[in-house]
Amino acid sequence: MTKPLHPLTMWVWSLILAIGIVALDNAWVALATVGVAALVVYLRRDGSPWNATFWWSLRIGAFIIAIRALIGVLIGVPIPGTELFRIPILDLPSWMPGIRIGGAVTLERLSSSVHEGVIIATMIALFGAASALTSPHKLLRVLPVFIYEIGITLVIATSVFPQLAQSVKRIRRAQQMRGIDKVSLRSIALPLLEETLTRSLQLAQSMDSRGYGVSRKRSRYRPAPWLARDFYFVITAVAAATVMVAS
């Protein structure tokens, strides 16, 4: 089992690489960075529920690329170049100059749309990798006091999707054990809603029993030190981002 990183390491790593990707604005480098992030997640995963966040971020990124390409084909500002095909033009009001729905679809317009979608998907994948390799509970412990309440909101928000995925799997497994093979939205949604509400009440009771919000003084339990491997991750990200910005 790999030794865990500092809770902030992957977030700093992802943020630095994201800055480099935006500065370079190269789709091939962005895809290579996603591959590196996938390799890091594969090597450092520990079987936690939030490990699935990265693979969900890849699915969301692929969906965004498809939607961005579709919008580039149907709607947008015409870009002259090599014409691929032509679709019927829908007339627009005079107060929308330069924008068209339909018309000639050029290779340059389509490649520009896909390029923008790849950059956006890369941002999602990088921060998905950070969420996949960072325990939200450990991340909450290292946040400064003055943003602690904001941190709780963000941690709950980033951990809700892995929990929902686990809940859906648990509900489907229980239904299959009872011989329920027909899957419908209602058969999943109602048990999922009930389990989510129960978990929310348990979280509220747990926070209340521990005196959350009573004192502004932070306690330290099992502090997370910043080790050499954390420096290694951050330094490699800084080096890569520096090359991207310089290029």
Side-chain angles (χ1 to χ4, degrees):
M1 182 177 178
T2 57
K3 295 181 179 180
L5 297 170
H6 189 276
L8 292 177
T9 299
M10 287 303 301
W11 287 96
V12 175
W13 183 82
S14 299
L15 178 61
I16 294 174
L17 287 180
I19 293 174
I21 292 296
V22 172
L24 182 61
D25 197 26
N26 186 297
W28 295 109
V29 175
L31 290 175
T33 305
V34 173
V36 172
L39 180 62
V40 172
V41 172
Y42 177 78
L43 294 177
R44 300 200 63 86
R45 70 191 190 284
D46 56 0
S48 303
W50 46 83
N51 289 161
T53 305
F54 178 70
W55 311 113
W56 279 104
S57 69
L58 292 183
R59 294 184 179 95
I60 295 173
F63 178 75
I64 289 176
I65 294 174
I67 293 298
R68 188 66 188 90
L70 181 62
I71 292 176
V73 169
L74 299 178
I75 307 172
V77 179
I79 299 178
T82 305
E83 182 176 334
L84 298 176
F85 54 90
R86 185 178 292 271
I87 56 179
I89 298 177
L90 179 63
D91 294 331
L92 295 176
S94 58
W95 49 269
M96 299 177 66
I99 300 177
R100 60 104 174 110
I101 298 180
V105 178
T106 62
L107 177 62
E108 288 72 14
R109 174 61 183 170
L110 184 60
S111 60
S112 174
S113 301
V114 173
H115 173 85
E116 294 173 1
V118 167
I119 298 300
I120 297 173
T122 302
M123 301 296 105
I124 296 175
L126 284 175
F127 290 104
S131 299
L133 296 180
T134 305
S135 168
H137 311 291
K138 293 181 179 179
L139 179 63
L140 187 61
R141 293 173 187 166
V142 299
L143 291 177
V145 175
F146 62 92
I147 61 171
Y148 188 73
E149 295 181 359
I150 299 177
I152 284 214
T153 305
L154 294 177
V155 165
I156 293 176
T158 55
S159 61
V160 66
F161 286 109
Q163 292 177 356
L164 287 178
Q166 292 295 319
S167 297
V168 170
K169 290 181 180 179
R170 196 159 44 244
I171 292 170
R172 281 299 303 142
R173 192 180 302 117
Q175 290 176 342
Q176 290 173 355
M177 292 176 63
R178 290 172 172 83
I180 303 175
D181 295 327
K182 186 178 179 181
V183 180
S184 64
L185 180 61
R186 183 176 181 180
S187 65
I188 295 291
L190 292 179
L192 182 62
L193 177 61
E194 181 181 359
E195 184 170 337
T196 303
L197 291 175
T198 301
R199 189 188 303 115
S200 301
L201 292 174
Q202 290 175 349
L203 176 62
Q205 292 171 357
S206 175
M207 294 171 65
D208 186 53
S209 65
R210 288 168 171 80
Y212 172 74
V214 176
S215 174
R216 300 294 297 177
K217 185 179 179 181
R218 287 288 301 275
S219 61
R220 293 292 179 183
Y221 176 67
R222 293 182 182 176
W226 188 274
L227 303 177
R229 55 178 174 269
D230 301 300
F231 278 110
Y232 172 75
F233 266 84
V234 173
I235 289 174
T236 54
V238 170
T242 302
V243 173
M244 294 178 191
V245 173
S247 300

